[in-house]
Amino acid sequence: MIYPECPDTFWSFKHALKFIRKRAGSPPLGLLTVAAMLPAEWSKRLVDLNVTRLRAKDLAWADLAMVSAMVVQRESARQVIGRCKAAGLKVVAGGPLFTIEHDQFEEVDHFVLNEAEVTLAAFLEDLKHGWAKRLYTSEERADLRETPIPQWDLADLRRYGWMSIQFSRGCPFNCDFCNVTALFGHKFRTKTTGQILAELDDIYDRGWRAGVFFVDDNFVGKKEVLRTDLLPALIAWQKNHPGIPFQTQVSINLADDEDLMRMMAEAGFHMVFIGVETPDETSLVECNKKQNQGRDLVADVKRMQRCGLQVQGGFIVGFDSDEPSIFQRQIDFIQKSGIVTAMVGLLQAFPGTKLYERLKREGRLLGRPSGDNVDGTMNLVPRMSAERLREGYRKILERIYSPKNYYERVRTFLREYKAPKAQERVRLESVLAFLRSVLRLGILEKGRLGYWRLLAWTRFRRPELFPLAVTLAISGYHCRKVCRSLGLE
Ligand code: B12
């Protein structure tokens, strides 16, 4: 089971993970889930190229290679497939990259696309009889109550920064650029609370004592299930399992529900990622982001922070309605909201989305997306001139990640933030990460004064948030490094 290499992007966290001597964010949950669905008598090995190499002896050992990838891993996936074929292996491919562009991979023997819970059994049955087809696909949505516990024993957990688990798939909203709903639909499906507790227990019993990311498309897609079932169970679980903070992805309407926010914080959630996209109302209408329209988005973010939920935000520029003033407006919004981790991307159109179809009709598509909307590339002809857009985009990144603005934003956030209930224990590893940050950010880097100011401010004003301030300082360093490597700073 092979997971190709992810490039060095904002979301790779590569430069930040080095501080805690980890190689990658999390193990590939898709492959580990598929592994648990394979016949018990099969011998399996996971080769995640983000933490290890693919050795000739791995290829010699195997009969079959199963590859999973996102679009952003396209090039590495191609190389992996080439090597497997050269070693005489049959290659089976699945996951988001192949689900949307399998026609680009001629060497693959079998595609098992969409959700493996639906498509894998037929492939395995045919394989057993020696008549497996090239393509297995289905529009049917999986019932997650049938999803097995991922086979974590295949991964060397010590090499990762956090663990991933998934409670639900599907999102009720209909944003026109969204690849998630194109892949997993709007129907909100969940595992049972029993399944989630079993997964958490399994991770905990393997000695895991750090963060867990609920990788749901929209964790609050059905609030009642959370309120009456999952969150009370997680609150109880946290009491006996300290040191496991949770994070997840939600829509902004969570800010309307103070009780639910408090319950989430109580259950150990300390961070949520939200697609904020843009402060421009016309652009929100253009992309059909209904849930963000007609709101005071800064006030929403602050309400969440005050409940103990740090907000990470996704932002987009390049909508047709964007005026040249959008760049400064995005900068002002991000600084004011205290969204420290702000992932600003240029609009990209993924096959299968409404945006892609519209641009195709208008003759404005320029090939396939790179899959990483924060690498400065676009696969569409924007309304604003491409040069102006790229220049404006560069300006946003330059400003929000300049040490001065970044450290100031961290302070804006810490002023508001209620210290979370569940926190990772301070270990030797954290102390060493702090010392490394002193060297890199406090002595060697240009913006070192901002680093010391932040630490001093936090020490006196919010001492309980000191470890978080250090973590955020390290994240900022990662973002600056990525900007620099893309030539965007
Ligand atoms: C967690 C997550 C991440 C994590 C970690 C990912 C990791 N380690 O692999 C982080 C935060 C690092 C991340 C980063 C990014 N991500 Co991401 N991420 C997700 C998320 C939310 C969940 C993935 C997951 O674990 N799902 C749970 C598992 C069980 O599902 P699954 O992997 O899809 O697997 C199922 C099927 O696909 C299939 N399957 C999968 N693999 C295989 C293999 C075989 C052989 C078979 C038979 C079946 C099969 O069976 C599984 C069970 O049904 C998804 C959204 C989503 N709902 O999937 C986006 C998603 C995968 N990410 C996406 C993107 C774009 C990115 C970024 C490029 C964003 C950015 N702009 O920087 C970065 C890239 C990072 C990098 N370093 O380059 C896109 C990918 C789109 C695409 N078509 O490729 C998604 C779909 C979200 C979106 N906006 O559309 N991501």
Side-chain angles (χ1 to χ4, degrees):
M1 315 209 68
I2 309 177
Y3 199 52
E5 199 175 347
C6 294
D8 186 9
T9 68
F10 274 98
W11 284 121
S12 71
F13 296 108
K14 212 159 116 188
H15 305 288
L17 287 164
K18 277 188 189 147
F19 284 76
I20 49 169
R21 295 291 187 258
K22 302 288 180 191
R23 296 268 180 91
S26 61
L29 189 59
L31 274 182
L32 298 184
T33 306
V34 171
M37 296 178 202
L38 296 175
E41 64 277 15
W42 285 21
S43 304
K44 297 156 226 165
R45 207 177 265 182
L46 172 73
V47 181
D48 176 358
L49 294 192
N50 299 286
V51 301
T52 187
R53 285 177 309 121
L54 178 59
R55 299 165 304 178
K57 64 177 184 187
D58 292 321
L59 295 173
W61 169 85
D63 307 307
L64 195 72
M66 303 192 87
V67 183
S68 172
M70 300 184 269
V71 169
V72 77
Q73 290 156 285
R74 194 190 275 134
E75 285 322 308
S76 174
R78 255 185 223 298
Q79 285 170 16
V80 164
I81 293 164
R83 279 192 66 191
C84 291
K85 291 309 297 175
L89 296 187
K90 284 236 175 298
V91 175
V92 183
L97 166 65
F98 304 104
T99 295
I100 70 169
E101 48 182 75
H102 65 271
D103 52 335
Q104 304 290 308
F105 293 88
E106 274 171 16
E107 284 191 290
V108 169
D109 297 280
H110 308 283
F111 291 104
V112 182
L113 306 180
N114 303 97
E115 298 175 71
E117 290 86 344
V118 179
T119 50
L120 187 67
F123 164 69
L124 292 175
E125 190 55 29
D126 290 353
L127 186 72
K128 203 163 71 188
H129 294 105
W131 58 56
K133 294 181 292 206
R134 182 133 197 276
L135 183 68
Y136 294 80
T137 176
S138 171
E139 289 301 303
E140 191 188 324
R141 299 293 170 203
D143 179 347
L144 299 196
R145 289 170 301 182
E146 285 164 15
T147 307
I149 296 188
Q151 215 181 316
W152 279 296
D153 61 289
L154 295 179
D156 181 357
L157 304 191
R158 291 165 310 173
R159 295 182 170 202
Y160 296 95
W162 67 84
M163 281 302 117
S164 293
I165 70 171
Q166 188 178 43
F167 173 57
S168 70
R169 285 184 206 154
C171 170
F173 298 112
N174 207 359
C175 311
D176 79 342
F177 54 79
C178 182
N179 193 220
V180 171
T181 46
L183 287 166
F184 299 101
H186 298 288
K187 192 169 169 220
F188 191 76
R189 301 151 284 143
T190 66
K191 291 181 183 165
T192 63
T193 293
Q195 280 171 287
I196 289 298
L197 294 182
E199 291 194 24
L200 286 172
D201 283 342
D202 193 359
I203 295 174
Y204 193 86
D205 292 345
R206 290 175 195 283
W208 185 255
R209 296 292 182 277
V212 171
F213 182 9
F214 280 66
V215 298
D216 297 32
D217 303 330
N218 184 356
F219 186 69
V220 297
K222 233 185 221 161
K223 293 180 180 168
E224 268 332 285
V225 190
L226 296 182
R227 216 187 304 274
T228 57
D229 198 350
L230 183 66
L231 291 178
L234 291 181
I235 291 170
W237 190 85
Q238 281 286 356
K239 291 200 173 110
N240 306 317
H241 304 84
I244 315 272
F246 299 146
Q247 68 181 84
T248 189
Q249 317 194 106
V250 299
S251 44
I252 193 86
N253 57 325
L254 172 62
D256 301 334
D257 198 330
E258 187 121 358
D259 285 345
L260 194 62
M261 288 192 284
R262 289 194 191 291
M263 271 186 98
M264 280 180 67
E266 178 82 17
F269 286 88
H270 69 117
M271 186 148 70
V272 291
F273 175 85
I274 298 182
V276 179
E277 322 307 2
T278 173
D280 188 273
E281 199 66 22
T282 332
S283 295
L284 289 174
V285 173
E286 174 190 318
C287 69
N288 200 34
K289 189 122 193 162
K290 292 211 165 82
Q291 67 275 30
N292 288 31
Q293 292 169 20
R295 312 181 64 102
D296 181 343
L297 293 167
V298 171
D300 289 338
V301 169
K302 301 238 172 217
R303 252 200 314 282
M304 293 190 189
Q305 293 167 342
R306 285 198 287 270
C307 285
L309 298 173
Q310 181 190 159
V311 177
Q312 297 184 325
F315 296 86
I316 298 177
V317 286
F319 291 116
D320 286 354
S321 325
D322 279 349
E323 298 289 341
S325 59
I326 190 62
F327 308 112
Q328 191 56 46
R329 287 177 66 197
Q330 290 277 25
I331 296 168
D332 294 342
F333 180 92
I334 291 165
Q335 287 302 114
K336 217 165 128 192
S337 63
I339 294 183
V340 178
T341 307
M343 297 295 167
V344 188
L346 284 174
L347 186 64
Q348 287 196 352
F350 279 83
T353 61
K354 295 207 175 59
L355 175 69
Y356 190 88
E357 290 311 315
R358 174 168 70 82
L359 294 170
K360 197 163 142 191
R361 280 197 306 276
E362 295 173 5
R364 293 168 60 198
L365 277 178
L366 298 174
R368 298 188 171 261
S370 71
D372 172 17
N373 70 334
V374 283
D375 66 1
T377 65
M378 286 184 105
N379 67 327
L380 54 97
V381 180
R383 279 261 182 271
M384 198 185 290
S385 88
E387 250 157 71
R388 190 165 203 178
L389 192 52
R390 203 174 142 76
E391 205 33 59
Y393 180 59
R394 183 197 300 267
K395 175 177 146 186
I396 298 180
L397 293 186
E398 200 177 83
R399 298 283 159 82
I400 64 171
Y401 288 114
S402 78
K404 179 179 170 293
N405 287 339
Y406 183 81
Y407 289 123
E408 191 180 296
R409 193 157 80 248
V410 176
R411 280 202 301 276
T412 304
F413 159 62
L414 294 181
R415 248 181 232 118
E416 218 69 49
Y417 190 47
K418 182 175 170 212
K421 243 189 128 81
Q423 298 202 25
E424 283 182 27
R425 271 176 309 155
V426 176
R427 286 167 297 200
L428 178 64
E429 199 178 69
S430 340
V431 176
L432 293 176
F434 171 57
L435 295 177
R436 286 180 197 116
S437 80
V438 167
L439 177 67
R440 282 254 149 250
L441 285 76
I443 298 173
L444 300 176
E445 234 206 350
K446 250 192 189 157
R448 51 191 165 259
L449 205 63
Y451 170 83
W452 290 115
R453 240 188 242 143
L454 171 67
L455 294 197
W457 182 91
T458 313
R459 174 69 191 80
F460 291 108
R461 305 283 290 274
R462 301 298 311 271
E464 72 283 18
L465 297 177
F466 193 83
L468 178 59
V470 175
T471 305
L472 291 173
I474 293 173
S475 295
Y477 171 77
H478 165 77
C479 294
R480 284 192 292 282
K481 288 279 270 193
V482 174
C483 287
R484 238 168 267 152
S485 69
L486 293 171
L488 287 165
E489 201 198 54

